[in-house]
Amino acid sequence: QDQLQQKIICPGPVTCLTASPNGLYILAGVAESIYLWEVSNGNLLAILNRHYQDLTCLCFTDDSSHFLSGAKDCLVLVWNLYSVLQAEPSQIPDPRHVWSRHSLPITDLCCGFGGPLARAATASLDQTAKLWEISSGELLLSVLFDVGIMAVTLDLSEYHMFCGGMDGSIFQVDLCAWPVQRDRTFQTERENGKVFKGHRNQVTCLSVSTDGSLLLSGSHDETVRLWDIQSKQCLKTMNHKGPVTNAFIVLAPANMFNPDGKPSVPLPKFSKHLHGTESNDEQGSEGVTLRLGLHQQDSEESYLEKAEKMYAQMYSTREKNLMGDQEHLTIQVSELEEEVSTLRKINKNLFDFSARIITKPAK
């Protein structure tokens, strides 16, 4: 039987939710805000308010170093996780990139492989799907369709981008097509062999198997379909009792086949307030809290401040020695010049000796 491990009450309706691949952090979109929790202790680490309308989608890079957020304000923001974690609670950190090339609400996000060097795909109601480079923030490809795009995903090798439309069609875009064009129009009548047809309502989610042979799709027509990518044939249809909002393919964990398997680490309760701002912090609670020098008390210096002060003292002492004691410096320079002169003589003698041996005629 399914057992509820933890019930987490959020500040409002959650419109999107994702976990970092390393399992350390949880992101949730609540109205226009992004909430970031630490899984191990339930602390609320950050509340990011840089979108102007409700969040629609969140996505991590595969190395958990960055995450992307999309909203109804037509913006996609790229965040550096460690910059967010080290920002002071009173300040809202700046995103690494702001992508504003879409003209209608963002509906889906997908990150490829490569961490901060990966490519990301975005889908929007403006009938376009776009491919971006996370490191530079540049737009690599924009594909225009006949319908609004509700879902997007990439295969593992990133040869193809799959886009789910509002009319139930799924489009396959070749990312290695020649000639290379940054702005492209997907003409359904010409590219009939690259369309999956079967859903009767908008496609809400897409997922590709690790070997790149199968495509999973969910739709508001209350079905989930499994497709063979090569032939575009539907292999299996699973019916549900309501619109499908999310579905994806995952590798089965080994613990899944163990009937006695239970979670080894229980989830703590997730905080409702930012970490460090609670008025009644529990005294004597077990565990160690690591704070990166930004949540320190006013009367006590942080480790980073002490290190900076020590470095400044060392640097000033070194500078004083170099600038103040000119006589000592002159003696050092003359000694070094003598040593260089001696080494040059030794080098010349070695060269002459080697040259005589090499040019000596054989008997």
Side-chain angles (χ1 to χ4, degrees):
Q1 295 180 353
D2 295 334
Q3 292 183 352
L4 181 66
Q5 189 179 352
Q6 182 64 261
K7 184 178 180 179
I8 300 164
I9 306 298
C10 293
V14 176
T15 55
C16 48
L17 182 73
T18 189
S20 61
N22 59 18
L24 300 180
Y25 303 99
I26 291 283
L27 280 175
V30 179
E32 301 146 20
S33 303
I34 303 171
Y35 285 74
L36 174 65
W37 282 282
E38 188 173 4
V39 174
S40 60
N41 52 27
N43 286 335
L44 178 59
L45 302 180
I47 302 175
L48 306 174
N49 297 295
R50 286 298 297 266
H51 283 284
Y52 304 106
Q53 294 186 40
D54 291 357
L55 269 291
T56 55
C57 43
L58 291 163
C59 178
F60 269 99
T61 55
D62 63 323
D63 66 342
S64 305
S65 67
H66 290 72
F67 62 90
L68 281 66
S69 60
K72 291 181 179 179
D73 58 7
C74 316
L75 297 178
V76 176
L77 305 183
V78 180
W79 303 86
N80 185 318
L81 177 62
Y82 306 112
S83 298
V84 171
L85 292 176
Q86 294 187 33
E88 295 197 23
S90 58
Q91 295 180 343
I92 300 175
D94 293 325
R96 182 172 175 179
H97 302 299
V98 178
W99 294 337
S100 56
R101 302 290 288 272
H102 285 290
S103 56
L104 284 175
I106 309 299
T107 54
D108 198 15
L109 296 170
C110 173
C111 279
F113 283 84
L117 302 178
R119 299 185 294 180
T122 60
S124 170
L125 291 177
D126 63 7
Q127 302 186 0
T128 66
K130 300 182 188 293
L131 192 68
W132 310 78
E133 187 176 57
I134 292 178
S135 57
S136 65
E138 289 188 13
L139 176 64
L140 303 177
L141 175 67
S142 179
V143 185
L144 177 64
F145 298 89
D146 300 328
V147 295
I149 302 300
M150 302 301 298
V152 66
T153 192
L154 300 165
D155 64 355
L156 206 62
S157 58
E158 295 184 27
Y159 282 149
H160 305 292
M161 179 169 65
F162 299 92
C163 307
M166 290 195 72
D167 63 349
S169 300
I170 302 170
F171 310 101
Q172 177 181 314
V173 179
D174 294 334
L175 300 181
C176 301
W178 189 262
V180 178
Q181 297 174 307
R182 197 173 74 167
D183 294 292
R184 201 188 303 175
T185 302
F186 191 95
Q187 297 176 342
T188 308
E189 62 276 1
R190 283 191 185 178
E191 310 199 45
N192 199 31
K194 297 178 182 176
V195 180
F196 300 78
K197 294 181 179 179
H199 284 297
R200 300 181 304 278
N201 206 332
Q202 68 182 44
V203 177
T204 56
C205 48
L206 294 168
S207 180
V208 182
S209 63
T210 51
D211 62 356
S213 64
L214 300 175
L215 175 69
L216 185 74
S217 63
S219 170
H220 275 189
D221 65 5
E222 304 184 1
T223 65
V224 171
R225 290 175 180 263
L226 191 64
W227 307 84
D228 178 66
I229 292 176
Q230 189 69 30
S231 65
K232 309 292 183 294
Q233 297 297 311
C234 180
L235 303 177
K236 190 174 183 179
T237 301
M238 292 157 273
N239 295 304
H240 291 264
K241 295 180 181 179
V244 177
T245 56
N246 201 4
F248 51 91
I249 299 172
V250 293
L251 294 173
N255 198 38
M256 180 178 175
F257 302 103
N258 181 10
D260 301 324
K262 293 181 180 179
S264 56
V265 180
L267 277 174
K269 290 184 178 179
F270 279 22
S271 304
K272 296 181 182 179
H273 306 283
L274 280 173
H275 178 50
T277 61
E278 298 89 340
S279 57
N280 54 347
D281 286 336
E282 295 181 7
Q283 299 293 326
S285 59
E286 294 184 1
V288 178
T289 302
L290 176 63
R291 301 185 180 185
L292 302 179
L294 294 165
H295 300 277
Q296 70 275 10
Q297 303 295 328
D298 294 337
S299 59
E300 188 180 339
E301 282 186 320
S302 70
Y303 174 78
L304 291 177
E305 287 176 340
K306 289 178 183 177
E308 284 178 7
K309 187 181 288 186
M310 192 178 296
Y311 177 77
Q313 289 176 351
M314 290 169 59
Y315 186 78
S316 62
T317 305
R318 179 172 171 269
E319 197 173 47
K320 199 181 293 181
N321 288 339
L322 288 174
M323 301 303 293
D325 196 356
Q326 291 293 335
E327 186 179 347
H328 181 67
L329 188 62
T330 307
I331 294 171
Q332 278 188 324
V333 169
S334 61
E335 287 177 354
L336 289 171
E337 286 177 346
E338 287 180 12
E339 189 173 351
V340 168
S341 177
T342 306
L343 289 171
R344 280 179 176 167
K345 289 179 183 177
I346 294 171
N347 189 45
K348 185 177 183 305
N349 292 337
L350 280 171
F351 177 80
D352 293 339
F353 178 72
S354 303
R356 283 199 302 273
I357 290 178
I358 292 170
T359 58
K360 186 177 181 180
K363 293 182 180 180

Coordinates of all heavy atoms in Angstrom, one line a residue, residues 117-186:
L117 N 27.1 24.0 -19.1 CA 27.4 24.1 -20.6 C 26.3 23.4 -21.4 O 26.4 23.3 -22.6 CB 28.7 23.3 -20.9 CG 30.0 23.9 -20.1 CD1 31.2 23.0 -20.5 CD2 30.2 25.3 -20.5
A118 N 25.2 23.1 -20.7 CA 24.1 22.4 -21.4 C 23.3 23.3 -22.3 O 23.4 24.6 -22.2 CB 23.2 21.6 -20.4
R119 N 22.4 22.7 -23.1 CA 21.4 23.5 -23.8 C 20.1 23.3 -23.2 O 19.8 22.3 -22.6 CB 21.4 23.1 -25.3 CG 22.7 23.3 -26.0 CD 22.7 23.0 -27.5 NE 22.4 21.6 -27.7 CZ 22.3 21.1 -28.9 NH1 22.5 21.8 -30.0 NH2 22.1 19.8 -29.1
A120 N 19.2 24.3 -23.3 CA 17.9 24.3 -22.7 C 16.9 24.6 -23.8 O 17.1 25.4 -24.6 CB 17.8 25.3 -21.5
A121 N 15.7 23.9 -23.7 CA 14.6 24.1 -24.6 C 13.5 24.7 -23.9 O 13.2 24.4 -22.7 CB 14.2 22.8 -25.3
T122 N 12.8 25.7 -24.5 CA 11.7 26.4 -23.9 C 10.5 26.3 -24.8 O 10.6 26.4 -26.1 CB 12.0 27.8 -23.5 OG1 12.3 28.5 -24.8 CG2 13.1 28.0 -22.6
A123 N 9.3 26.2 -24.3 CA 8.1 26.1 -25.1 C 7.1 27.2 -24.6 O 7.1 27.6 -23.4 CB 7.4 24.8 -25.0
S124 N 6.3 27.7 -25.5 CA 5.4 28.8 -25.2 C 4.1 28.8 -26.0 O 4.0 28.1 -27.1 CB 6.1 30.2 -25.5 OG 5.3 31.3 -25.4
L125 N 3.1 29.5 -25.5 CA 1.9 29.6 -26.2 C 2.0 30.5 -27.5 O 1.1 30.6 -28.3 CB 0.8 30.3 -25.3 CG 0.3 29.4 -24.1 CD1 -0.7 30.2 -23.3 CD2 -0.3 28.1 -24.6
D126 N 3.2 31.2 -27.7 CA 3.3 32.0 -28.9 C 3.7 31.1 -30.1 O 4.1 31.7 -31.1 CB 4.4 33.0 -28.7 CG 5.8 32.4 -28.4 OD1 5.9 31.2 -28.5 OD2 6.8 33.2 -28.1
Q127 N 3.5 29.8 -30.0 CA 3.6 28.8 -31.1 C 5.1 28.6 -31.5 O 5.4 28.2 -32.6 CB 2.8 29.3 -32.3 CG 1.3 29.4 -32.1 CD 0.5 29.7 -33.3 OE1 1.1 29.8 -34.4 NE2 -0.8 29.9 -33.2
T128 N 6.0 28.9 -30.5 CA 7.4 28.7 -30.8 C 8.0 27.8 -29.7 O 7.6 27.8 -28.6 CB 8.2 30.0 -30.9 OG1 8.2 30.6 -29.6 CG2 7.7 30.9 -31.9
A129 N 9.1 27.0 -30.1 CA 9.9 26.4 -29.2 C 11.3 26.9 -29.5 O 11.7 27.0 -30.6 CB 9.9 24.8 -29.4
K130 N 12.1 27.2 -28.4 CA 13.4 27.8 -28.6 C 14.5 27.0 -27.9 O 14.2 26.4 -26.9 CB 13.4 29.2 -28.1 CG 12.4 30.2 -28.9 CD 12.5 31.6 -28.4 CE 11.4 32.5 -29.0 NZ 11.5 32.6 -30.4
L131 N 15.7 27.0 -28.5 CA 16.8 26.3 -27.9 C 17.9 27.3 -27.5 O 18.2 28.2 -28.4 CB 17.4 25.3 -28.9 CG 18.4 24.2 -28.4 CD1 17.7 23.3 -27.4 CD2 19.0 23.5 -29.5
W132 N 18.4 27.2 -26.3 CA 19.3 28.2 -25.8 C 20.6 27.5 -25.3 O 20.6 26.3 -25.0 CB 18.7 28.9 -24.6 CG 17.3 29.5 -24.8 CD1 16.1 28.8 -24.8 CD2 16.9 30.8 -25.1 NE1 15.1 29.6 -25.0 CE2 15.5 30.9 -25.2 CE3 17.7 32.0 -25.3 CZ2 14.8 32.1 -25.5 CZ3 17.0 33.2 -25.5 CH2 15.6 33.2 -25.6
E133 N 21.6 28.3 -25.1 CA 22.9 27.9 -24.5 C 22.9 28.5 -23.1 O 22.9 29.8 -23.0 CB 24.1 28.3 -25.3 CG 25.4 27.7 -24.9 CD 26.5 28.1 -25.8 OE1 26.8 29.3 -26.0 OE2 27.2 27.2 -26.3
I134 N 23.0 27.7 -22.1 CA 23.0 28.2 -20.7 C 24.2 29.0 -20.4 O 24.1 30.1 -19.7 CB 22.8 27.0 -19.7 CG1 21.4 26.4 -19.9 CG2 23.0 27.5 -18.3 CD1 21.1 25.2 -19.0
S135 N 25.4 28.6 -20.8 CA 26.6 29.3 -20.4 C 26.7 30.7 -20.9 O 27.0 31.7 -20.2 CB 27.8 28.5 -21.0 OG 27.8 28.4 -22.4
S136 N 26.3 30.9 -22.2 CA 26.4 32.3 -22.8 C 25.0 33.0 -22.7 O 25.0 34.2 -22.8 CB 26.9 32.2 -24.2 OG 25.9 31.5 -25.0
G137 N 23.9 32.2 -22.6 CA 22.6 32.8 -22.6 C 22.1 33.1 -24.0 O 21.1 33.8 -24.2
E138 N 22.8 32.6 -25.1 CA 22.4 33.0 -26.4 C 21.3 32.1 -27.0 O 21.2 30.9 -26.6 CB 23.7 32.9 -27.4 CG 24.7 34.0 -27.1 CD 25.8 34.0 -28.2 OE1 25.6 33.3 -29.2 OE2 26.8 34.6 -28.0
L139 N 20.5 32.6 -27.9 CA 19.5 31.8 -28.5 C 20.1 31.1 -29.7 O 20.7 31.7 -30.6 CB 18.4 32.8 -29.0 CG 17.3 32.1 -29.8 CD1 16.5 31.1 -29.0 CD2 16.3 33.2 -30.4
L140 N 20.0 29.8 -29.7 CA 20.5 28.9 -30.8 C 19.6 28.6 -31.9 O 19.9 28.6 -33.1 CB 21.1 27.6 -30.2 CG 22.1 27.7 -29.1 CD1 22.5 26.3 -28.6 CD2 23.3 28.5 -29.5
L141 N 18.3 28.4 -31.5 CA 17.3 28.0 -32.5 C 15.9 28.4 -32.1 O 15.6 28.4 -30.9 CB 17.3 26.5 -32.7 CG 16.3 25.8 -33.6 CD1 16.5 26.2 -35.0 CD2 16.3 24.3 -33.4
S142 N 15.1 28.9 -33.0 CA 13.7 29.2 -32.8 C 12.9 28.5 -33.9 O 13.1 28.8 -35.0 CB 13.5 30.7 -32.7 OG 12.1 31.0 -32.5
V143 N 11.9 27.7 -33.5 CA 11.1 27.0 -34.4 C 9.6 27.5 -34.2 O 9.1 27.4 -33.1 CB 11.1 25.5 -34.2 CG1 10.4 24.7 -35.3 CG2 12.6 25.0 -34.2
L144 N 9.0 27.9 -35.3 CA 7.6 28.4 -35.3 C 6.7 27.3 -35.8 O 6.9 26.7 -36.8 CB 7.5 29.6 -36.2 CG 6.1 30.2 -36.3 CD1 5.6 30.7 -35.0 CD2 6.1 31.3 -37.4
F145 N 5.6 27.0 -35.0 CA 4.6 26.0 -35.4 C 3.3 26.6 -35.7 O 3.1 27.9 -35.6 CB 4.5 25.0 -34.2 CG 5.7 24.3 -33.9 CD1 6.6 24.8 -32.9 CD2 6.0 23.0 -34.4 CE1 7.8 24.1 -32.6 CE2 7.2 22.3 -34.1 CZ 8.0 22.9 -33.2
D146 N 2.3 25.8 -36.1 CA 1.0 26.3 -36.4 C 0.1 26.4 -35.2 O -1.0 27.0 -35.2 CB 0.3 25.3 -37.4 CG 1.0 25.2 -38.7 OD1 1.6 26.2 -39.1 OD2 1.0 24.1 -39.3
V147 N 0.5 25.8 -34.0 CA -0.3 25.8 -32.8 C 0.6 26.2 -31.6 O 1.9 26.1 -31.7 CB -0.9 24.4 -32.6 CG1 -1.9 24.1 -33.6 CG2 0.2 23.3 -32.4
G148 N 0.0 26.5 -30.5 CA 0.7 26.8 -29.3 C 1.4 25.5 -28.8 O 0.8 24.4 -28.9
I149 N 2.6 25.6 -28.2 CA 3.3 24.5 -27.8 C 3.2 24.4 -26.2 O 3.5 25.3 -25.5 CB 4.8 24.6 -28.2 CG1 4.9 24.7 -29.7 CG2 5.6 23.4 -27.7 CD1 4.4 23.6 -30.5
M150 N 2.8 23.2 -25.8 CA 2.5 23.0 -24.3 C 3.6 22.2 -23.6 O 3.7 22.2 -22.4 CB 1.2 22.3 -24.2 CG 0.0 23.0 -24.8 SD -0.3 24.7 -24.1 CE -0.6 24.3 -22.4
A151 N 4.4 21.4 -24.4 CA 5.4 20.6 -23.8 C 6.6 20.4 -24.7 O 6.4 20.5 -26.0 CB 4.8 19.2 -23.5
V152 N 7.8 20.3 -24.1 CA 9.0 20.1 -25.0 C 10.0 19.2 -24.2 O 10.0 19.2 -23.0 CB 9.6 21.5 -25.2 CG1 10.2 22.2 -23.9 CG2 10.8 21.4 -26.3
T153 N 10.7 18.4 -25.0 CA 11.8 17.6 -24.4 C 12.8 17.3 -25.4 O 12.6 17.5 -26.6 CB 11.2 16.3 -23.8 OG1 12.2 15.7 -23.0 CG2 10.8 15.3 -24.9
L154 N 14.0 16.9 -25.0 CA 15.1 16.5 -25.9 C 15.4 15.1 -25.7 O 15.3 14.5 -24.5 CB 16.4 17.4 -25.5 CG 16.3 18.9 -25.7 CD1 17.4 19.6 -25.0 CD2 16.2 19.3 -27.1
D155 N 15.9 14.4 -26.7 CA 16.4 13.0 -26.5 C 17.8 13.1 -25.9 O 18.4 14.1 -25.8 CB 16.4 12.2 -27.8 CG 17.3 12.8 -28.9 OD1 17.9 13.8 -28.6 OD2 17.4 12.1 -29.9
L156 N 18.3 11.9 -25.4 CA 19.5 11.9 -24.7 C 20.7 12.4 -25.5 O 21.6 13.1 -25.0 CB 19.8 10.4 -24.2 CG 20.6 10.3 -23.0 CD1 20.0 10.9 -21.8 CD2 20.9 8.8 -22.7
S157 N 20.8 12.1 -26.8 CA 21.8 12.5 -27.7 C 21.6 13.9 -28.2 O 22.5 14.5 -28.8 CB 22.0 11.6 -28.8 OG 20.8 11.5 -29.6
E158 N 20.5 14.5 -27.9 CA 20.1 15.9 -28.4 C 20.2 16.0 -29.9 O 20.6 17.1 -30.4 CB 21.0 16.9 -27.6 CG 20.8 16.9 -26.1 CD 21.5 18.0 -25.4 OE1 21.8 19.0 -26.0 OE2 21.8 17.8 -24.2
Y159 N 19.8 15.0 -30.6 CA 19.6 15.1 -32.0 C 18.2 15.6 -32.4 O 18.1 16.2 -33.4 CB 19.8 13.7 -32.7 CG 21.2 13.2 -32.8 CD1 21.5 11.9 -32.8 CD2 22.2 14.1 -33.0 CE1 22.9 11.4 -32.9 CE2 23.5 13.7 -33.1 CZ 23.9 12.4 -33.1 OH 25.1 12.0 -33.2
H160 N 17.3 15.4 -31.5 CA 15.9 15.8 -31.8 C 15.3 16.5 -30.6 O 15.6 16.3 -29.5 CB 15.0 14.5 -32.1 CG 15.5 13.7 -33.2 ND1 15.6 14.0 -34.5 CD2 16.1 12.4 -33.2 CE1 16.1 13.1 -35.2 NE2 16.4 12.1 -34.4
M161 N 14.4 17.4 -30.9 CA 13.6 18.1 -29.9 C 12.1 17.7 -30.2 O 11.7 17.8 -31.4 CB 13.8 19.6 -30.0 CG 13.0 20.4 -29.1 SD 13.5 22.2 -29.0 CE 13.1 22.7 -30.6
F162 N 11.4 17.3 -29.2 CA 10.0 16.9 -29.4 C 9.1 18.0 -28.7 O 9.3 18.4 -27.6 CB 9.7 15.5 -28.7 CG 10.6 14.4 -29.4 CD1 11.8 14.1 -28.8 CD2 10.1 13.8 -30.5 CE1 12.6 13.1 -29.4 CE2 10.9 12.7 -31.1 CZ 12.1 12.4 -30.5
C163 N 8.1 18.4 -29.5 CA 7.2 19.5 -29.0 C 5.8 19.0 -29.1 O 5.3 18.5 -30.1 CB 7.4 20.7 -29.9 SG 9.1 21.3 -30.0
G164 N 5.0 19.2 -28.0 CA 3.6 18.8 -27.9 C 2.7 20.0 -28.1 O 2.9 21.0 -27.4
G165 N 1.8 19.9 -29.0 CA 0.9 21.1 -29.4 C -0.4 21.0 -28.7 O -0.8 20.0 -28.1
M166 N -1.1 22.2 -28.8 CA -2.4 22.3 -28.2 C -3.5 21.5 -28.9 O -4.5 21.1 -28.3 CB -2.9 23.8 -28.2 CG -2.1 24.7 -27.3 SD -2.9 26.3 -27.0 CE -4.3 25.8 -26.0
D167 N -3.2 21.1 -30.1 CA -4.2 20.3 -30.9 C -4.0 18.8 -30.7 O -4.7 18.0 -31.3 CB -4.2 20.7 -32.4 CG -2.8 20.3 -33.0 OD1 -1.9 20.0 -32.2 OD2 -2.7 20.4 -34.2
G168 N -3.0 18.4 -29.9 CA -2.8 17.0 -29.7 C -1.6 16.4 -30.5 O -1.2 15.3 -30.3
S169 N -1.1 17.2 -31.4 CA 0.0 16.7 -32.3 C 1.3 16.8 -31.5 O 1.5 17.7 -30.6 CB 0.1 17.6 -33.6 OG -1.1 17.5 -34.3
I170 N 2.3 15.9 -31.9 CA 3.6 16.0 -31.3 C 4.6 16.1 -32.5 O 4.5 15.3 -33.4 CB 3.9 14.7 -30.5 CG1 2.9 14.5 -29.4 CG2 5.4 14.8 -29.9 CD1 3.0 13.2 -28.6
F171 N 5.4 17.1 -32.5 CA 6.3 17.4 -33.6 C 7.7 17.0 -33.2 O 8.2 17.3 -32.1 CB 6.3 18.9 -33.9 CG 4.9 19.4 -34.1 CD1 4.3 20.2 -33.1 CD2 4.1 19.2 -35.2 CE1 3.0 20.6 -33.2 CE2 2.9 19.7 -35.4 CZ 2.3 20.4 -34.4
Q172 N 8.4 16.4 -34.2 CA 9.8 16.0 -34.0 C 10.7 17.0 -34.8 O 10.6 17.1 -36.1 CB 10.1 14.6 -34.5 CG 11.6 14.2 -34.4 CD 11.7 12.7 -34.9 OE1 11.0 11.9 -34.5 NE2 12.7 12.5 -35.7
V173 N 11.5 17.8 -34.2 CA 12.4 18.8 -34.8 C 13.8 18.2 -34.8 O 14.4 17.9 -33.8 CB 12.4 20.1 -34.1 CG1 13.3 21.1 -34.8 CG2 10.9 20.6 -34.0
D174 N 14.4 18.1 -36.0 CA 15.8 17.7 -36.1 C 16.8 18.8 -35.8 O 16.7 19.9 -36.5 CB 16.1 17.2 -37.5 CG 15.3 15.9 -37.9 OD1 15.0 15.2 -36.9 OD2 15.0 15.6 -39.0
L175 N 17.6 18.7 -34.8 CA 18.5 19.7 -34.4 C 19.8 19.8 -35.2 O 20.6 20.7 -35.2 CB 18.9 19.6 -32.9 CG 17.7 19.6 -31.9 CD1 18.2 19.5 -30.5 CD2 16.9 20.9 -32.1
C176 N 20.0 18.7 -36.0 CA 21.2 18.6 -36.8 C 20.9 18.8 -38.3 O 21.7 18.4 -39.2 CB 21.9 17.3 -36.6 SG 22.4 17.0 -34.9
A177 N 19.7 19.4 -38.6 CA 19.3 19.5 -40.0 C 20.2 20.6 -40.7 O 20.7 21.5 -40.1 CB 17.8 20.0 -40.0
W178 N 20.4 20.3 -42.0 CA 21.2 21.2 -42.8 C 20.4 21.8 -43.9 O 19.6 21.2 -44.5 CB 22.4 20.4 -43.4 CG 23.4 21.3 -44.0 CD1 23.5 21.6 -45.4 CD2 24.5 22.0 -43.4 NE1 24.6 22.4 -45.6 CE2 25.2 22.7 -44.4 CE3 24.9 22.1 -42.1 CZ2 26.3 23.5 -44.1 CZ3 26.0 22.9 -41.8 CH2 26.7 23.5 -42.8
P179 N 20.5 23.1 -44.2 CA 21.4 24.1 -43.6 C 21.0 24.6 -42.2 O 19.8 24.5 -41.9 CB 21.4 25.3 -44.6 CG 20.0 25.2 -45.2 CD 19.7 23.7 -45.3
V180 N 21.9 25.1 -41.4 CA 21.6 25.5 -40.1 C 21.0 26.9 -40.2 O 21.5 27.8 -40.7 CB 22.9 25.6 -39.2 CG1 22.6 26.1 -37.8 CG2 23.6 24.2 -39.2
Q181 N 19.8 27.0 -39.6 CA 19.1 28.2 -39.5 C 18.6 28.5 -38.1 O 18.1 27.6 -37.4 CB 17.8 28.2 -40.4 CG 18.1 28.0 -41.9 CD 16.8 27.8 -42.7 OE1 16.0 26.9 -42.4 NE2 16.7 28.6 -43.7
R182 N 18.8 29.7 -37.6 CA 18.4 30.0 -36.3 C 16.9 30.2 -36.2 O 16.3 29.8 -35.1 CB 19.1 31.3 -35.8 CG 19.1 31.4 -34.3 CD 19.9 32.6 -33.7 NE 19.2 33.9 -34.0 CZ 19.6 35.0 -33.4 NH1 20.6 35.0 -32.6 NH2 19.0 36.1 -33.7
D183 N 16.3 30.7 -37.2 CA 14.8 30.8 -37.2 C 14.3 29.9 -38.3 O 14.6 30.0 -39.4 CB 14.4 32.3 -37.5 CG 14.8 33.2 -36.4 OD1 14.3 33.2 -35.3 OD2 15.8 34.1 -36.7
R184 N 13.4 29.0 -37.8 CA 12.9 28.0 -38.7 C 11.4 27.8 -38.5 O 10.8 28.1 -37.4 CB 13.5 26.6 -38.3 CG 13.5 25.6 -39.4 CD 14.0 24.2 -38.9 NE 15.4 24.3 -38.3 CZ 15.9 23.2 -37.8 NH1 15.3 22.1 -37.7 NH2 17.1 23.3 -37.3
T185 N 10.7 27.5 -39.6 CA 9.2 27.3 -39.5 C 9.0 25.8 -39.8 O 9.4 25.2 -40.8 CB 8.5 28.1 -40.6 OG1 8.8 29.5 -40.3 CG2 7.0 27.9 -40.5
F186 N 8.2 25.2 -38.9 CA 7.8 23.8 -39.0 C 6.5 23.7 -39.8 O 5.5 24.0 -39.3 CB 7.7 23.1 -37.6 CG 7.6 21.6 -37.7 CD1 8.7 20.8 -37.5 CD2 6.3 21.0 -37.9 CE1 8.6 19.4 -37.5 CE2 6.2 19.6 -38.0 CZ 7.3 18.8 -37.7

